[in-house]
Amino acid sequence: MKWIREFDEILPDQIGLYGGKNSSLGDLRRLGRQKGFHVPDGFALSTLAFREFMLSNSLTEQIQKKIQDFHSDRISLEKTGMDLRELVLTGEFSEEMANEVHAAYRALCKRLHKTEVTLVVRSSATAEDLPDASFAGLHESYLNIRNEEECLRACKQCMASLYTDRALLYRRKKEIDEERVALSVGVQQMIRADQGVSGVLFTLDTETGFPNVVLLNASWGYGESVVQGAVDPDQFLVFKHALIAGAKEPIIEKKRGAKGHKLICEATETPFARESVLRQIPCTQQERDRLSLEDQDIMDLAHWAMQIEHHQKKAMDIEWVKDGTDGALYIVQARPETVHAKRKQYLSTYQFKENPGDILLEGVSIGRAITHGKVRIVRSLAELDGIAPDQILVTKMTSPDWVPAMSKAGGIITEKGGRTCHAAIVSRELGIPAIVGAVGAMERLHDHQQITMATSAGEIGEVYPGWIEFERKENDLATFRRTSTLLMINLASPEAAFSSWNLPVDGVGLARIEFIISEKIGLHPMAAAHPDRVAPPLLEGWIDRIRPGHRTPAEYFVDALSSGIAKIAAAHYPKPVIVRTSDFKSNEYASLIGGDEFEPTEVNPMLGWRGASRYTSEHYRDGFALECKALKRVRGEMGLENVIVMIPFCRTPLEAKETLQEMAQYGLHRSEQGLKVYMMCEIPSNVLMLEEFDPYFDGYSIGSNDLTQLVLGVDRDAEHLSALFNEEESAVKLAIRQLIRRSKELRKPIGICGQAPSDIPGFSNFLVQQGITSISVNPDSLLSVHHQIQEAEFNR
């Protein structure tokens, strides 16, 4: 054939002839046959066919003249796009070209052993899907095409979509020469997702660029609802190392989305032709409650994605479908991920100059920034005119037609959508901070309202009232030198873990389990283990939230806790991640759901029932068992053996011995599978009797806050004694000096994870001079403490 090639015949270096999308499909088809995954069959009209169509209909000069007028601002974007699309649609295919399309369609039917094949017809431009030029939804696709004539008409409509308003504006912004732009049309077997599942996946974390996970979004029906952000999808994270190593549970996170509706394809008859449209229908309650993919499907898709990434040697953005009739999975599109492809390694830090106050609104954070502006509520495409950089666009969701206006906004907030929706993808490429899935935004905000939006703290984006001052610092990580003293970070939130993956640190010195319990779970561990002992009204709302997919509260507790720990551990694998078992005080435990049933009233909780004393107590043993099960799952089933367990507030060597025995009952045997157990040194008995504690631990970490409190006898929460609470007091420094010296004599590593190095100038110098193994600080203190360590090592 002169104008057409089957996908199997198209080579990856033929982008000039078939565009990025179709060249990729040809490459995918061959790779799929080698690796065992499915890519729907089809064929493509080359860009030569497009240019021949333009010449035979005398369109080339007319189109160039109108584009010149647009670039000279003599005619509007909207007028240019409408005129150009009309010119193309009035053209006719030559008899030779039309015959080739008919022949290619019949050949496809024959290969698939069918008399008629349902098709999707897609645009594939030569300036689309290239590493430095990719945008979501620039050109059109047409679904449910069922015969030769419909196929021919859809091919022409795709050619016309080269001149959508958003495509014209994009090429102008990217300074792409219009005369060198052409369009290939891909014709592909359509996989029916009406009764199936579809979605998108990325071979990295889309927010942070973390490369060691596969991020997968899925929902019922056709994938446009996921891409456009019209539905809150299920989300899955697969840890690549665990998948390669054959770990039992490489899926480190599963989030059930609301999935309120799905898209199905319907045909409508007109006097002139049959047209297919996507129609939105509600999902059933059963569809909403269950996850849309089974574990094996998730792992298969992740495995295929990694094969594609390895083949292409770059991070990929992939669309997939699960056929609802035969259950088969298909890769339908793959293109390079462009947002993080050329991003330089800078550490940008944003920090409020003052307390931002009460939060107005929360949602999924897109980008890492703080910005402020005036609210501009938009309910439809017709209201988009006049968007300005000082405005925050607030709407339900966005679509490709909104791109010209979105590019002008200072920030974007949508009520619907997830991390891979249209608004999220476009915002990242434009470099505009966004918060998606902010339920109720259009009711709780109003036009012209001054707000500050913060997307800098992790997965949760926050909106505050008013204009709140902040500062931004940008630091080139390429200039960051490693030190002999290990520099580590403290992490609490799993949602913020991936933000730290490329920091030049030696691991995580402190990951707090209690943060995951309070923020992600909310239920007292003993209430999860014994829900029958909790008043039903207290559990009712909580159980309704977690019931689908979990048989008991205990099962949910272990699942949520292990997922949170796994995200932190995966972010820094294979570097050590020290996870401290729960160290709530009794009043903090009591504030959890069901906590009053299990907690005593203590006069001084800071010196009460906390840490190791709980773990072997009959009043908390079953709660600690859930923590142990989660840790065992992370290290064993999820393959994250870089997790080190740390025991807090261990008063006596007997407590240490009994705690290790308790852990062993749940498969956490010290030294087995490389398990190391550390002790938090924060009690004077730890200092005085380190040799007696030593047989039970592999290393130590100094908790300077509690150690200061107990050495000086000062309640760290007592405001009227705050002047006495000082880590630089001689007695405190003497205790720290003894801990470091004795641990070195015992040949055990010792670090510090308290606030002192971050808050006290010169404290890091003291620690380095004593020979401490590691210093762990909050990420926002990383640069200043690193400088202090460098200086101390130079002067040592």
Side-chain angles (χ1 to χ4, degrees), residues 394-590:
V394 180
T395 189
K396 283 192 174 181
M397 63 181 186
T398 66
S399 68
D401 291 320
W402 291 46
V403 171
M406 292 170 67
S407 66
K408 302 172 185 175
I412 297 167
I413 300 173
T414 68
E415 290 193 327
K416 297 183 178 181
R419 295 169 65 194
T420 56
C421 72
H422 177 268
I425 293 171
V426 171
S427 296
R428 291 188 200 101
E429 175 133 356
L430 293 173
I432 297 172
I435 297 174
V436 301
V439 178
M442 298 179 72
E443 293 181 2
R444 298 168 67 179
L445 303 176
H446 58 80
D447 275 328
H448 310 298
Q449 179 181 3
Q450 183 71 55
I451 61 171
T452 298
M453 53 185 291
T455 62
S456 56
E459 288 189 5
I460 305 302
E462 299 165 340
V463 178
Y464 299 92
W467 183 289
I468 303 169
E469 293 293 336
F470 65 90
E471 60 181 358
R472 173 185 175 181
K473 294 181 180 178
E474 200 163 78
N475 306 274
D476 187 353
L477 295 182
T479 64
F480 203 96
R481 289 185 177 181
R482 297 293 175 132
T483 55
S484 299
T485 306
L486 301 180
L487 181 58
M488 307 176 84
I489 54 172
N490 301 331
L491 288 176
S493 170
E495 282 67 36
F498 290 170
S499 298
S500 65
W501 75 270
N502 60 351
L503 296 180
V505 296
D506 299 294
V508 176
L510 175 63
R512 303 176 181 90
I513 273 185
E514 56 267 20
F515 184 93
I516 303 171
I517 295 173
S518 62
E519 297 297 319
K520 190 171 182 178
I521 301 172
L523 186 68
H524 192 286
M526 286 294 289
H530 298 283
D532 54 304
R533 293 171 56 183
V534 180
L538 289 176
L539 283 180
E540 186 175 334
W542 186 87
I543 288 177
D544 286 343
R545 175 167 61 90
I546 64 95
R547 181 182 292 129
H550 297 94
R551 293 168 295 180
T552 64
E555 186 179 275
Y556 173 78
F557 190 100
V558 172
D559 186 52
L561 183 56
S562 59
S563 176
I565 297 169
K567 287 186 73 174
I568 295 173
H572 292 273
Y573 186 90
K575 298 172 184 176
V577 172
I578 302 172
V579 178
R580 187 179 70 186
T581 49
S582 64
D583 190 28
F584 285 120
K585 272 63 78 178
S586 57
N587 58 324
E588 295 169 334
Y589 271 115

Side-chain angles (χ1 to χ4, degrees), residues 363-377:
V364 177
S365 174
I366 306 299
R368 293 289 178 264
I370 301 176
T371 189
H372 23 53
K374 295 178 181 178
V375 170
R376 171 73 179 275
I377 294 179

Side-chain angles (χ1 to χ4, degrees), residues 136-151:
L138 274 183
H139 309 105
E140 301 292 355
S141 296
Y142 297 90
L143 306 175
N144 204 28
I145 306 302
R146 296 193 302 186
N147 57 49
E148 298 172 29
E149 292 304 320
E150 287 184 10
C151 178

